[in-house]
Amino acid sequence: AQRVTQPEKLLSVFKGAPVELKCNYSYSGSPELFWYVQYSRQRLQLLLRHISRESIKGFTADLNKGETSFHLKKPFAQEEDSAMYYCALLLPSGGYQKVTFGTGTKLQVIP
Amino acid sequence: ETGVTQTPRHLVMGMTNKKSLKCEQHLGHNAMYWYKQSAKKPLELMFVYNFKEQTENNSVPSRFSPECPNSSHLFLHLHTLQPEDSALYLCASSQGLAGAQVAGELFFGEGSRLTVL
């Protein structure tokens, strides 16, 4: 079954420390993976997608097919990074975006 | 308003009530989605409408009834719900894959927090 796993419910780091939010996936085809973020009192929104290999707000994520992972990283955490982060996998569908999400990891950056 | 708007933001209902959740998008998208977000569980896809046609029903109980009168509006009709149906219901919209500038990008509303007593 296609699945996304985020093993950590909560990750607390100090400001300025490196951040790594873990995501593993289970998918037999060629995956398209994403990270979504939800800041306090804001709506869920796309943070980045692996296919574009971009860096958004200092975050990067590399797809590792051998380890079936798509971990989200940032070298120096900022207080404003505190939020819920969801890893997501796009599944084949009939012309629409069928996205399956992980359970999410709450990132808490301690000042 | 721009983006995806959901009303009401909060709803409390008894198990015998009938109520509806509304979602409206002003982004010109052709696909709309209902997700359920419960504590400690992943976001669960409930229904998908693509060009007003229902294309996905993820084994959702019949006490949840979706309606999509046009590409901009999506409803979730609720009747005889159970306390375990209490959750945050999120609406989202997107372009279809063929016309999407960014594959996988869903645009979410702020959600309707439902409490069933």
Side-chain angles (χ1 to χ4, degrees), chain A residues 32 34 36 38 43-44 46 49 86 90 94-99 101-103, chain B residues 4 33 35 37 42 48 50 55-56 94-97 102-106 108 110:
Chain A
E32 287 195 54
F34 310 84
Y36 277 75
Q38 188 170 28
R43 62 192 69 200
L44 191 59
L46 180 68
R49 52 202 179 277
Y86 295 91
L90 179 66
Y96 60 91
Q97 317 276 8
K98 185 171 180 176
V99 180
F101 290 85
T103 48
Chain B
V4 180
Y33 311 73
Y35 278 88
Q37 187 174 34
V48 182
N50 198 25
T55 52
E56 185 97 15
S94 76
Q95 290 288 11
L97 275 177
V102 178
E105 184 161 16
L106 298 175
F108 284 88
E110 293 178 291

PDB file of all heavy atoms in Angstrom, chain A residues 32 34 36 38 43-44 46 49 86 90 94-99 101-103, chain B residues 4 33 35 37 42 48 50 55-56 94-97 102-106 108 110:
ATOM      1  N   GLU A  32       6.341  11.170  -6.316  1.00  0.00           N
ATOM      2  CA  GLU A  32       6.405  12.633  -6.280  1.00  0.00           C
ATOM      3  C   GLU A  32       6.067  13.029  -4.855  1.00  0.00           C
ATOM      4  O   GLU A  32       4.966  12.775  -4.382  1.00  0.00           O
ATOM      5  CB  GLU A  32       5.421  13.246  -7.271  1.00  0.00           C
ATOM      6  CG  GLU A  32       5.853  13.090  -8.719  1.00  0.00           C
ATOM      7  CD  GLU A  32       5.073  13.999  -9.649  1.00  0.00           C
ATOM      8  OE1 GLU A  32       5.047  15.217  -9.399  1.00  0.00           O
ATOM      9  OE2 GLU A  32       4.467  13.477 -10.609  1.00  0.00           O
ATOM     10  N   PHE A  34       6.255  15.787  -1.379  1.00  0.00           N
ATOM     11  CA  PHE A  34       6.081  17.188  -1.015  1.00  0.00           C
ATOM     12  C   PHE A  34       6.155  17.342   0.495  1.00  0.00           C
ATOM     13  O   PHE A  34       5.936  16.393   1.247  1.00  0.00           O
ATOM     14  CB  PHE A  34       4.703  17.687  -1.482  1.00  0.00           C
ATOM     15  CG  PHE A  34       4.403  17.381  -2.912  1.00  0.00           C
ATOM     16  CD1 PHE A  34       3.886  16.154  -3.273  1.00  0.00           C
ATOM     17  CD2 PHE A  34       4.663  18.314  -3.898  1.00  0.00           C
ATOM     18  CE1 PHE A  34       3.635  15.850  -4.606  1.00  0.00           C
ATOM     19  CE2 PHE A  34       4.408  18.020  -5.218  1.00  0.00           C
ATOM     20  CZ  PHE A  34       3.897  16.790  -5.579  1.00  0.00           C
ATOM     21  N   TYR A  36       4.263  19.910   3.246  1.00  0.00           N
ATOM     22  CA  TYR A  36       3.297  20.961   3.525  1.00  0.00           C
ATOM     23  C   TYR A  36       3.555  21.451   4.948  1.00  0.00           C
ATOM     24  O   TYR A  36       4.035  20.700   5.804  1.00  0.00           O
ATOM     25  CB  TYR A  36       1.861  20.429   3.437  1.00  0.00           C
ATOM     26  CG  TYR A  36       1.301  20.373   2.033  1.00  0.00           C
ATOM     27  CD1 TYR A  36       1.701  19.387   1.142  1.00  0.00           C
ATOM     28  CD2 TYR A  36       0.372  21.311   1.598  1.00  0.00           C
ATOM     29  CE1 TYR A  36       1.180  19.339  -0.148  1.00  0.00           C
ATOM     30  CE2 TYR A  36      -0.150  21.265   0.315  1.00  0.00           C
ATOM     31  CZ  TYR A  36       0.258  20.272  -0.554  1.00  0.00           C
ATOM     32  OH  TYR A  36      -0.250  20.231  -1.824  1.00  0.00           O
ATOM     33  N   GLN A  38       1.891  23.944   8.271  1.00  0.00           N
ATOM     34  CA  GLN A  38       0.751  24.662   8.856  1.00  0.00           C
ATOM     35  C   GLN A  38       1.243  25.449  10.056  1.00  0.00           C
ATOM     36  O   GLN A  38       1.548  24.870  11.110  1.00  0.00           O
ATOM     37  CB  GLN A  38      -0.348  23.693   9.258  1.00  0.00           C
ATOM     38  CG  GLN A  38      -1.637  24.373   9.683  1.00  0.00           C
ATOM     39  CD  GLN A  38      -2.784  23.395   9.837  1.00  0.00           C
ATOM     40  OE1 GLN A  38      -2.589  22.225  10.129  1.00  0.00           O
ATOM     41  NE2 GLN A  38      -4.008  23.878   9.640  1.00  0.00           N
ATOM     42  N   ARG A  43      -3.655  28.362   7.439  1.00  0.00           N
ATOM     43  CA  ARG A  43      -4.073  27.164   6.721  1.00  0.00           C
ATOM     44  C   ARG A  43      -2.883  26.343   6.257  1.00  0.00           C
ATOM     45  O   ARG A  43      -1.756  26.843   6.149  1.00  0.00           O
ATOM     46  CB  ARG A  43      -4.960  27.554   5.538  1.00  0.00           C
ATOM     47  CG  ARG A  43      -4.298  28.426   4.480  1.00  0.00           C
ATOM     48  CD  ARG A  43      -5.323  28.980   3.529  1.00  0.00           C
ATOM     49  NE  ARG A  43      -6.192  29.966   4.149  1.00  0.00           N
ATOM     50  CZ  ARG A  43      -7.376  30.324   3.670  1.00  0.00           C
ATOM     51  NH1 ARG A  43      -7.849  29.772   2.579  1.00  0.00           N
ATOM     52  NH2 ARG A  43      -8.096  31.235   4.284  1.00  0.00           N
ATOM     53  N   LEU A  44      -3.139  25.104   5.991  1.00  0.00           N
ATOM     54  CA  LEU A  44      -2.131  24.197   5.460  1.00  0.00           C
ATOM     55  C   LEU A  44      -1.690  24.675   4.073  1.00  0.00           C
ATOM     56  O   LEU A  44      -2.528  25.011   3.231  1.00  0.00           O
ATOM     57  CB  LEU A  44      -2.746  22.803   5.373  1.00  0.00           C
ATOM     58  CG  LEU A  44      -1.862  21.605   5.098  1.00  0.00           C
ATOM     59  CD1 LEU A  44      -0.785  21.462   6.148  1.00  0.00           C
ATOM     60  CD2 LEU A  44      -2.722  20.343   5.057  1.00  0.00           C
ATOM     61  N   LEU A  46       1.569  24.456   0.821  1.00  0.00           N
ATOM     62  CA  LEU A  46       2.721  23.759   0.271  1.00  0.00           C
ATOM     63  C   LEU A  46       4.007  24.475   0.652  1.00  0.00           C
ATOM     64  O   LEU A  46       4.113  25.697   0.523  1.00  0.00           O
ATOM     65  CB  LEU A  46       2.594  23.699  -1.254  1.00  0.00           C
ATOM     66  CG  LEU A  46       3.727  22.989  -2.007  1.00  0.00           C
ATOM     67  CD1 LEU A  46       3.714  21.502  -1.709  1.00  0.00           C
ATOM     68  CD2 LEU A  46       3.602  23.241  -3.509  1.00  0.00           C
ATOM     69  N   ARG A  49       8.518  20.902  -2.986  1.00  0.00           N
ATOM     70  CA  ARG A  49       8.297  19.635  -3.692  1.00  0.00           C
ATOM     71  C   ARG A  49       9.639  19.154  -4.232  1.00  0.00           C
ATOM     72  O   ARG A  49      10.468  19.969  -4.640  1.00  0.00           O
ATOM     73  CB  ARG A  49       7.300  19.815  -4.827  1.00  0.00           C
ATOM     74  CG  ARG A  49       7.655  20.966  -5.759  1.00  0.00           C
ATOM     75  CD  ARG A  49       6.441  21.446  -6.517  1.00  0.00           C
ATOM     76  NE  ARG A  49       6.788  22.565  -7.384  1.00  0.00           N
ATOM     77  CZ  ARG A  49       6.863  23.827  -6.990  1.00  0.00           C
ATOM     78  NH1 ARG A  49       6.616  24.118  -5.735  1.00  0.00           N
ATOM     79  NH2 ARG A  49       7.180  24.778  -7.844  1.00  0.00           N
ATOM     80  N   TYR A  86       3.912  18.398   7.346  1.00  0.00           N
ATOM     81  CA  TYR A  86       3.356  17.163   6.804  1.00  0.00           C
ATOM     82  C   TYR A  86       4.094  16.769   5.534  1.00  0.00           C
ATOM     83  O   TYR A  86       4.224  17.571   4.601  1.00  0.00           O
ATOM     84  CB  TYR A  86       1.869  17.350   6.458  1.00  0.00           C
ATOM     85  CG  TYR A  86       0.978  17.620   7.644  1.00  0.00           C
ATOM     86  CD1 TYR A  86       0.721  18.921   8.069  1.00  0.00           C
ATOM     87  CD2 TYR A  86       0.376  16.582   8.344  1.00  0.00           C
ATOM     88  CE1 TYR A  86      -0.100  19.186   9.147  1.00  0.00           C
ATOM     89  CE2 TYR A  86      -0.450  16.830   9.433  1.00  0.00           C
ATOM     90  CZ  TYR A  86      -0.675  18.125   9.822  1.00  0.00           C
ATOM     91  OH  TYR A  86      -1.496  18.375  10.893  1.00  0.00           O
ATOM     92  N   LEU A  90       2.154  12.160  -3.885  1.00  0.00           N
ATOM     93  CA  LEU A  90       1.153  12.282  -4.949  1.00  0.00           C
ATOM     94  C   LEU A  90       0.980  10.928  -5.616  1.00  0.00           C
ATOM     95  O   LEU A  90       1.952  10.328  -6.074  1.00  0.00           O
ATOM     96  CB  LEU A  90       1.599  13.322  -5.969  1.00  0.00           C
ATOM     97  CG  LEU A  90       0.671  13.558  -7.162  1.00  0.00           C
ATOM     98  CD1 LEU A  90      -0.648  14.158  -6.705  1.00  0.00           C
ATOM     99  CD2 LEU A  90       1.346  14.472  -8.191  1.00  0.00           C
ATOM    100  N   GLY A  94      -7.114   9.964 -11.777  1.00  0.00           N
ATOM    101  CA  GLY A  94      -7.756  10.350 -13.019  1.00  0.00           C
ATOM    102  C   GLY A  94      -7.803  11.843 -13.246  1.00  0.00           C
ATOM    103  O   GLY A  94      -8.878  12.425 -13.304  1.00  0.00           O
ATOM    104  N   GLY A  95      -6.644  12.483 -13.347  1.00  0.00           N
ATOM    105  CA  GLY A  95      -6.613  13.891 -13.717  1.00  0.00           C
ATOM    106  C   GLY A  95      -6.674  14.881 -12.575  1.00  0.00           C
ATOM    107  O   GLY A  95      -6.773  16.072 -12.804  1.00  0.00           O
ATOM    108  N   TYR A  96      -6.635  14.425 -11.331  1.00  0.00           N
ATOM    109  CA  TYR A  96      -6.631  15.367 -10.207  1.00  0.00           C
ATOM    110  C   TYR A  96      -5.476  15.025  -9.271  1.00  0.00           C
ATOM    111  O   TYR A  96      -4.779  14.031  -9.479  1.00  0.00           O
ATOM    112  CB  TYR A  96      -7.968  15.332  -9.456  1.00  0.00           C
ATOM    113  CG  TYR A  96      -8.320  13.985  -8.884  1.00  0.00           C
ATOM    114  CD1 TYR A  96      -7.957  13.636  -7.598  1.00  0.00           C
ATOM    115  CD2 TYR A  96      -9.022  13.051  -9.649  1.00  0.00           C
ATOM    116  CE1 TYR A  96      -8.262  12.396  -7.075  1.00  0.00           C
ATOM    117  CE2 TYR A  96      -9.335  11.809  -9.134  1.00  0.00           C
ATOM    118  CZ  TYR A  96      -8.958  11.486  -7.845  1.00  0.00           C
ATOM    119  OH  TYR A  96      -9.262  10.253  -7.348  1.00  0.00           O
ATOM    120  N   GLN A  97      -5.274  15.863  -8.259  1.00  0.00           N
ATOM    121  CA  GLN A  97      -4.126  15.685  -7.363  1.00  0.00           C
ATOM    122  C   GLN A  97      -4.542  14.785  -6.210  1.00  0.00           C
ATOM    123  O   GLN A  97      -5.150  15.244  -5.255  1.00  0.00           O
ATOM    124  CB  GLN A  97      -3.681  17.053  -6.816  1.00  0.00           C
ATOM    125  CG  GLN A  97      -3.646  18.172  -7.826  1.00  0.00           C
ATOM    126  CD  GLN A  97      -2.362  18.207  -8.620  1.00  0.00           C
ATOM    127  OE1 GLN A  97      -1.560  17.307  -8.520  1.00  0.00           O
ATOM    128  NE2 GLN A  97      -2.186  19.262  -9.400  1.00  0.00           N
ATOM    129  N   LYS A  98      -4.227  13.512  -6.292  1.00  0.00           N
ATOM    130  CA  LYS A  98      -4.551  12.607  -5.194  1.00  0.00           C
ATOM    131  C   LYS A  98      -3.346  12.549  -4.271  1.00  0.00           C
ATOM    132  O   LYS A  98      -2.350  11.882  -4.549  1.00  0.00           O
ATOM    133  CB  LYS A  98      -4.888  11.209  -5.718  1.00  0.00           C
ATOM    134  CG  LYS A  98      -5.362  10.253  -4.643  1.00  0.00           C
ATOM    135  CD  LYS A  98      -5.889   8.974  -5.248  1.00  0.00           C
ATOM    136  CE  LYS A  98      -6.365   8.020  -4.174  1.00  0.00           C
ATOM    137  NZ  LYS A  98      -6.974   6.801  -4.751  1.00  0.00           N
ATOM    138  N   VAL A  99      -3.446  13.263  -3.176  1.00  0.00           N
ATOM    139  CA  VAL A  99      -2.315  13.436  -2.271  1.00  0.00           C
ATOM    140  C   VAL A  99      -2.599  12.700  -0.973  1.00  0.00           C
ATOM    141  O   VAL A  99      -3.667  12.888  -0.370  1.00  0.00           O
ATOM    142  CB  VAL A  99      -2.056  14.930  -1.991  1.00  0.00           C
ATOM    143  CG1 VAL A  99      -0.872  15.100  -1.045  1.00  0.00           C
ATOM    144  CG2 VAL A  99      -1.811  15.676  -3.291  1.00  0.00           C
ATOM    145  N   PHE A 101      -1.181  12.043   2.939  1.00  0.00           N
ATOM    146  CA  PHE A 101      -0.352  12.758   3.902  1.00  0.00           C
ATOM    147  C   PHE A 101       0.127  11.845   5.022  1.00  0.00           C
ATOM    148  O   PHE A 101      -0.530  10.857   5.377  1.00  0.00           O
ATOM    149  CB  PHE A 101      -1.157  13.900   4.544  1.00  0.00           C
ATOM    150  CG  PHE A 101      -1.458  15.045   3.620  1.00  0.00           C
ATOM    151  CD1 PHE A 101      -2.558  15.020   2.780  1.00  0.00           C
ATOM    152  CD2 PHE A 101      -0.633  16.161   3.604  1.00  0.00           C
ATOM    153  CE1 PHE A 101      -2.836  16.072   1.928  1.00  0.00           C
ATOM    154  CE2 PHE A 101      -0.903  17.230   2.754  1.00  0.00           C
ATOM    155  CZ  PHE A 101      -2.003  17.180   1.916  1.00  0.00           C
ATOM    156  N   GLY A 102       1.281  12.200   5.601  1.00  0.00           N
ATOM    157  CA  GLY A 102       1.717  11.577   6.832  1.00  0.00           C
ATOM    158  C   GLY A 102       0.966  12.174   8.021  1.00  0.00           C
ATOM    159  O   GLY A 102       0.129  13.063   7.854  1.00  0.00           O
ATOM    160  N   THR A 103       1.283  11.675   9.205  1.00  0.00           N
ATOM    161  CA  THR A 103       0.576  12.125  10.417  1.00  0.00           C
ATOM    162  C   THR A 103       1.059  13.478  10.914  1.00  0.00           C
ATOM    163  O   THR A 103       0.440  14.080  11.778  1.00  0.00           O
ATOM    164  CB  THR A 103       0.742  11.117  11.563  1.00  0.00           C
ATOM    165  OG1 THR A 103       2.130  10.765  11.671  1.00  0.00           O
ATOM    166  CG2 THR A 103      -0.067   9.862  11.303  1.00  0.00           C
TER     167      THR A 103
ATOM    168  N   VAL B   4      -9.561  29.776  -0.777  1.00  0.00           N
ATOM    169  CA  VAL B   4     -10.571  28.787  -0.428  1.00  0.00           C
ATOM    170  C   VAL B   4     -11.210  29.196   0.899  1.00  0.00           C
ATOM    171  O   VAL B   4     -10.508  29.385   1.887  1.00  0.00           O
ATOM    172  CB  VAL B   4      -9.938  27.384  -0.318  1.00  0.00           C
ATOM    173  CG1 VAL B   4     -11.002  26.355   0.047  1.00  0.00           C
ATOM    174  CG2 VAL B   4      -9.255  27.004  -1.626  1.00  0.00           C
ATOM    175  N   TYR B  33     -11.845  18.999  -2.972  1.00  0.00           N
ATOM    176  CA  TYR B  33     -11.616  17.841  -2.101  1.00  0.00           C
ATOM    177  C   TYR B  33     -12.175  18.104  -0.698  1.00  0.00           C
ATOM    178  O   TYR B  33     -12.140  19.237  -0.214  1.00  0.00           O
ATOM    179  CB  TYR B  33     -10.113  17.598  -1.919  1.00  0.00           C
ATOM    180  CG  TYR B  33      -9.292  17.573  -3.179  1.00  0.00           C
ATOM    181  CD1 TYR B  33      -9.017  18.739  -3.890  1.00  0.00           C
ATOM    182  CD2 TYR B  33      -8.754  16.376  -3.657  1.00  0.00           C
ATOM    183  CE1 TYR B  33      -8.255  18.720  -5.044  1.00  0.00           C
ATOM    184  CE2 TYR B  33      -7.977  16.352  -4.812  1.00  0.00           C
ATOM    185  CZ  TYR B  33      -7.735  17.522  -5.495  1.00  0.00           C
ATOM    186  OH  TYR B  33      -6.967  17.499  -6.638  1.00  0.00           O
ATOM    187  N   TYR B  35     -11.211  16.669   3.096  1.00  0.00           N
ATOM    188  CA  TYR B  35     -10.342  15.880   3.936  1.00  0.00           C
ATOM    189  C   TYR B  35     -10.866  15.941   5.362  1.00  0.00           C
ATOM    190  O   TYR B  35     -11.423  16.956   5.788  1.00  0.00           O
ATOM    191  CB  TYR B  35      -8.916  16.450   3.956  1.00  0.00           C
ATOM    192  CG  TYR B  35      -8.040  16.057   2.798  1.00  0.00           C
ATOM    193  CD1 TYR B  35      -8.032  16.800   1.623  1.00  0.00           C
ATOM    194  CD2 TYR B  35      -7.190  14.959   2.877  1.00  0.00           C
ATOM    195  CE1 TYR B  35      -7.203  16.458   0.559  1.00  0.00           C
ATOM    196  CE2 TYR B  35      -6.353  14.609   1.818  1.00  0.00           C
ATOM    197  CZ  TYR B  35      -6.375  15.369   0.673  1.00  0.00           C
ATOM    198  OH  TYR B  35      -5.549  15.027  -0.380  1.00  0.00           O
ATOM    199  N   GLN B  37      -9.512  15.702   9.311  1.00  0.00           N
ATOM    200  CA  GLN B  37      -8.316  15.748  10.139  1.00  0.00           C
ATOM    201  C   GLN B  37      -8.702  15.477  11.581  1.00  0.00           C
ATOM    202  O   GLN B  37      -9.318  16.309  12.240  1.00  0.00           O
ATOM    203  CB  GLN B  37      -7.611  17.101  10.015  1.00  0.00           C
ATOM    204  CG  GLN B  37      -6.268  17.155  10.712  1.00  0.00           C
ATOM    205  CD  GLN B  37      -5.519  18.449  10.448  1.00  0.00           C
ATOM    206  OE1 GLN B  37      -6.118  19.510  10.311  1.00  0.00           O
ATOM    207  NE2 GLN B  37      -4.201  18.371  10.359  1.00  0.00           N
ATOM    208  N   PRO B  42      -3.558  10.610  10.265  1.00  0.00           N
ATOM    209  CA  PRO B  42      -3.214  11.402   9.075  1.00  0.00           C
ATOM    210  C   PRO B  42      -4.461  12.073   8.501  1.00  0.00           C
ATOM    211  O   PRO B  42      -5.575  11.628   8.761  1.00  0.00           O
ATOM    212  CB  PRO B  42      -2.671  10.368   8.088  1.00  0.00           C
ATOM    213  CG  PRO B  42      -2.504   9.116   8.842  1.00  0.00           C
ATOM    214  CD  PRO B  42      -3.374   9.178  10.036  1.00  0.00           C
ATOM    215  N   VAL B  48     -13.493  13.485  -3.696  1.00  0.00           N
ATOM    216  CA  VAL B  48     -12.892  14.351  -4.706  1.00  0.00           C
ATOM    217  C   VAL B  48     -13.909  14.577  -5.810  1.00  0.00           C
ATOM    218  O   VAL B  48     -14.574  13.635  -6.258  1.00  0.00           O
ATOM    219  CB  VAL B  48     -11.625  13.743  -5.331  1.00  0.00           C
ATOM    220  CG1 VAL B  48     -11.022  14.713  -6.343  1.00  0.00           C
ATOM    221  CG2 VAL B  48     -10.606  13.381  -4.264  1.00  0.00           C
ATOM    222  N   ASN B  50     -13.939  16.295  -9.645  1.00  0.00           N
ATOM    223  CA  ASN B  50     -13.131  16.825 -10.729  1.00  0.00           C
ATOM    224  C   ASN B  50     -14.091  17.245 -11.835  1.00  0.00           C
ATOM    225  O   ASN B  50     -14.830  16.416 -12.360  1.00  0.00           O
ATOM    226  CB  ASN B  50     -12.162  15.755 -11.229  1.00  0.00           C
ATOM    227  CG  ASN B  50     -11.029  16.338 -12.031  1.00  0.00           C
ATOM    228  OD1 ASN B  50     -10.673  17.503 -11.878  1.00  0.00           O
ATOM    229  ND2 ASN B  50     -10.418  15.526 -12.870  1.00  0.00           N
ATOM    230  N   THR B  55     -15.136  11.753  -8.304  1.00  0.00           N
ATOM    231  CA  THR B  55     -14.160  10.802  -8.806  1.00  0.00           C
ATOM    232  C   THR B  55     -13.546   9.959  -7.705  1.00  0.00           C
ATOM    233  O   THR B  55     -12.778   9.044  -7.970  1.00  0.00           O
ATOM    234  CB  THR B  55     -13.035  11.525  -9.560  1.00  0.00           C
ATOM    235  OG1 THR B  55     -12.519  12.554  -8.710  1.00  0.00           O
ATOM    236  CG2 THR B  55     -13.538  12.137 -10.840  1.00  0.00           C
ATOM    237  N   GLU B  56     -13.849  10.284  -6.460  1.00  0.00           N
ATOM    238  CA  GLU B  56     -13.263   9.526  -5.365  1.00  0.00           C
ATOM    239  C   GLU B  56     -14.222   9.540  -4.190  1.00  0.00           C
ATOM    240  O   GLU B  56     -14.780  10.580  -3.847  1.00  0.00           O
ATOM    241  CB  GLU B  56     -11.934  10.155  -4.940  1.00  0.00           C
ATOM    242  CG  GLU B  56     -11.159   9.391  -3.872  1.00  0.00           C
ATOM    243  CD  GLU B  56     -10.093   8.491  -4.444  1.00  0.00           C
ATOM    244  OE1 GLU B  56      -9.748   8.653  -5.631  1.00  0.00           O
ATOM    245  OE2 GLU B  56      -9.605   7.629  -3.710  1.00  0.00           O
ATOM    246  N   SER B  94      -7.644  22.344  -6.437  1.00  0.00           N
ATOM    247  CA  SER B  94      -6.420  22.287  -7.232  1.00  0.00           C
ATOM    248  C   SER B  94      -6.782  22.300  -8.708  1.00  0.00           C
ATOM    249  O   SER B  94      -7.934  22.062  -9.091  1.00  0.00           O
ATOM    250  CB  SER B  94      -5.633  21.007  -6.930  1.00  0.00           C
ATOM    251  OG  SER B  94      -6.221  19.885  -7.555  1.00  0.00           O
ATOM    252  N   GLN B  95      -5.763  22.546  -9.507  1.00  0.00           N
ATOM    253  CA  GLN B  95      -5.915  22.308 -10.931  1.00  0.00           C
ATOM    254  C   GLN B  95      -5.843  20.811 -11.170  1.00  0.00           C
ATOM    255  O   GLN B  95      -5.291  20.073 -10.361  1.00  0.00           O
ATOM    256  CB  GLN B  95      -4.783  22.990 -11.701  1.00  0.00           C
ATOM    257  CG  GLN B  95      -4.843  24.504 -11.729  1.00  0.00           C
ATOM    258  CD  GLN B  95      -5.967  25.005 -12.624  1.00  0.00           C
ATOM    259  OE1 GLN B  95      -6.834  24.253 -13.065  1.00  0.00           O
ATOM    260  NE2 GLN B  95      -5.969  26.302 -12.894  1.00  0.00           N
ATOM    261  N   GLY B  96      -6.366  20.372 -12.284  1.00  0.00           N
ATOM    262  CA  GLY B  96      -6.152  18.997 -12.685  1.00  0.00           C
ATOM    263  C   GLY B  96      -4.699  18.822 -13.071  1.00  0.00           C
ATOM    264  O   GLY B  96      -4.002  19.790 -13.333  1.00  0.00           O
ATOM    265  N   LEU B  97      -4.238  17.595 -13.127  1.00  0.00           N
ATOM    266  CA  LEU B  97      -2.820  17.362 -13.396  1.00  0.00           C
ATOM    267  C   LEU B  97      -2.396  17.866 -14.762  1.00  0.00           C
ATOM    268  O   LEU B  97      -1.309  18.356 -14.932  1.00  0.00           O
ATOM    269  CB  LEU B  97      -2.506  15.872 -13.292  1.00  0.00           C
ATOM    270  CG  LEU B  97      -2.208  15.363 -11.893  1.00  0.00           C
ATOM    271  CD1 LEU B  97      -1.983  13.875 -11.893  1.00  0.00           C
ATOM    272  CD2 LEU B  97      -1.015  16.092 -11.310  1.00  0.00           C
ATOM    273  N   VAL B 102       1.962  23.363 -10.938  1.00  0.00           N
ATOM    274  CA  VAL B 102       2.702  22.691  -9.875  1.00  0.00           C
ATOM    275  C   VAL B 102       1.958  21.428  -9.502  1.00  0.00           C
ATOM    276  O   VAL B 102       0.917  21.499  -8.873  1.00  0.00           O
ATOM    277  CB  VAL B 102       2.829  23.594  -8.632  1.00  0.00           C
ATOM    278  CG1 VAL B 102       3.560  22.874  -7.525  1.00  0.00           C
ATOM    279  CG2 VAL B 102       3.498  24.903  -8.987  1.00  0.00           C
ATOM    280  N   ALA B 103       2.486  20.284  -9.904  1.00  0.00           N
ATOM    281  CA  ALA B 103       1.845  19.025  -9.548  1.00  0.00           C
ATOM    282  C   ALA B 103       1.897  18.842  -8.048  1.00  0.00           C
ATOM    283  O   ALA B 103       2.909  19.083  -7.412  1.00  0.00           O
ATOM    284  CB  ALA B 103       2.548  17.864 -10.243  1.00  0.00           C
ATOM    285  N   GLY B 104       0.744  18.399  -7.488  1.00  0.00           N
ATOM    286  CA  GLY B 104       0.708  18.102  -6.067  1.00  0.00           C
ATOM    287  C   GLY B 104       0.319  19.277  -5.202  1.00  0.00           C
ATOM    288  O   GLY B 104       0.231  19.130  -4.002  1.00  0.00           O
ATOM    289  N   GLU B 105       0.089  20.471  -5.776  1.00  0.00           N
ATOM    290  CA  GLU B 105      -0.250  21.592  -4.910  1.00  0.00           C
ATOM    291  C   GLU B 105      -1.746  21.666  -4.700  1.00  0.00           C
ATOM    292  O   GLU B 105      -2.513  21.901  -5.637  1.00  0.00           O
ATOM    293  CB  GLU B 105       0.259  22.926  -5.461  1.00  0.00           C
ATOM    294  CG  GLU B 105      -0.014  24.065  -4.485  1.00  0.00           C
ATOM    295  CD  GLU B 105       0.830  25.297  -4.725  1.00  0.00           C
ATOM    296  OE1 GLU B 105       1.426  25.409  -5.820  1.00  0.00           O
ATOM    297  OE2 GLU B 105       0.901  26.144  -3.815  1.00  0.00           O
ATOM    298  N   LEU B 106      -2.127  21.470  -3.461  1.00  0.00           N
ATOM    299  CA  LEU B 106      -3.501  21.657  -3.032  1.00  0.00           C
ATOM    300  C   LEU B 106      -3.584  22.981  -2.284  1.00  0.00           C
ATOM    301  O   LEU B 106      -2.665  23.338  -1.544  1.00  0.00           O
ATOM    302  CB  LEU B 106      -3.936  20.532  -2.091  1.00  0.00           C
ATOM    303  CG  LEU B 106      -3.926  19.117  -2.662  1.00  0.00           C
ATOM    304  CD1 LEU B 106      -4.254  18.106  -1.562  1.00  0.00           C
ATOM    305  CD2 LEU B 106      -4.904  18.978  -3.800  1.00  0.00           C
ATOM    306  N   PHE B 108      -5.715  24.870   0.508  1.00  0.00           N
ATOM    307  CA  PHE B 108      -6.637  24.506   1.572  1.00  0.00           C
ATOM    308  C   PHE B 108      -7.395  25.702   2.122  1.00  0.00           C
ATOM    309  O   PHE B 108      -6.892  26.828   2.142  1.00  0.00           O
ATOM    310  CB  PHE B 108      -5.880  23.849   2.734  1.00  0.00           C
ATOM    311  CG  PHE B 108      -5.474  22.436   2.465  1.00  0.00           C
ATOM    312  CD1 PHE B 108      -4.270  22.152   1.849  1.00  0.00           C
ATOM    313  CD2 PHE B 108      -6.302  21.384   2.826  1.00  0.00           C
ATOM    314  CE1 PHE B 108      -3.894  20.836   1.588  1.00  0.00           C
ATOM    315  CE2 PHE B 108      -5.946  20.074   2.570  1.00  0.00           C
ATOM    316  CZ  PHE B 108      -4.734  19.805   1.948  1.00  0.00           C
ATOM    317  N   GLU B 110      -9.430  27.075   5.743  1.00  0.00           N
ATOM    318  CA  GLU B 110      -9.023  27.072   7.152  1.00  0.00           C
ATOM    319  C   GLU B 110      -9.707  25.971   7.949  1.00  0.00           C
ATOM    320  O   GLU B 110      -9.334  25.707   9.085  1.00  0.00           O
ATOM    321  CB  GLU B 110      -9.309  28.442   7.766  1.00  0.00           C
ATOM    322  CG  GLU B 110      -8.415  29.537   7.177  1.00  0.00           C
ATOM    323  CD  GLU B 110      -8.745  30.893   7.755  1.00  0.00           C
ATOM    324  OE1 GLU B 110      -9.832  31.427   7.459  1.00  0.00           O
ATOM    325  OE2 GLU B 110      -7.915  31.437   8.503  1.00  0.00           O
TER     326      GLU B 110
END
